[in-house]
Amino acid sequence: MKTRAITALLLTAAALTACTTTTSSSSDKPAKKPKSTPSVNMSAAEKAAGIPAEPTGAKRAELLRALAAANPDIVKYEDKAIDAARNQCSAINGGGSKVDWTASQRFTYKDVTTTEAQGKQINDALKGLKFCKV
């Protein structure tokens, strides 16, 4: 039933879009083309925020091992752990005042709880691996 409703909605939207009319006379100026918005280079924005590139291969495995040493549960969700590590670098590189607490919050998700002491271990691991150098 949902599929039919969604399909009907999409068809209605397409029909409304297609039915727009424009009138033009020889004295009308040609319509300006809309300016396209420049795409944001996320890696440049991430680098400016102190977030390193996503690790791959051996570097990813090394990072996951270091995170597991602090709290084995956080690597149950590898992608979440990698994202949290990358984002934690922004706190570390930004000189935040509560980076251990921030790590404990950032690495607490789903059924995983991370303490502030484990957050300190995570930060030490990220610094020790030089992962947060951008």
Side-chain angles (χ1 to χ4, degrees), residues 3 22-23 31 63 72 82 85 89 113 116 131:
T3 305
T22 58
T23 55
L63 176 59
I82 295 295
C89 288
T113 302
E116 197 166 336
F131 178 69

Side-chain angles (χ1 to χ4, degrees), residues 66-82:
L67 295 173
N71 179 354
D73 288 341
I74 62 177
V75 297
K76 288 194 310 189
Y77 308 102
E78 290 183 3
D79 291 339
K80 278 194 117 9
I82 295 295

Side-chain angles (χ1 to χ4, degrees), residues 21-35:
T21 58
T22 58
T23 55
S24 169
S25 69
S26 60
S27 64
D28 289 342
K29 293 181 183 177
K32 289 184 179 179
K33 290 185 178 180
K35 292 182 181 179

Side-chain angles (χ1 to χ4, degrees), residues 50-101:
I51 299 172
E54 187 169 341
T56 58
K59 287 187 178 194
R60 179 182 172 97
E62 181 181 36
L63 176 59
L64 289 170
R65 278 192 301 277
L67 295 173
N71 179 354
D73 288 341
I74 62 177
V75 297
K76 288 194 310 189
Y77 308 102
E78 290 183 3
D79 291 339
K80 278 194 117 9
I82 295 295
D83 286 344
R86 292 179 64 223
N87 288 315
Q88 183 60 21
C89 288
S90 67
I92 292 170
N93 291 335
S97 61
K98 293 182 164 188
V99 291
D100 297 340
W101 178 84

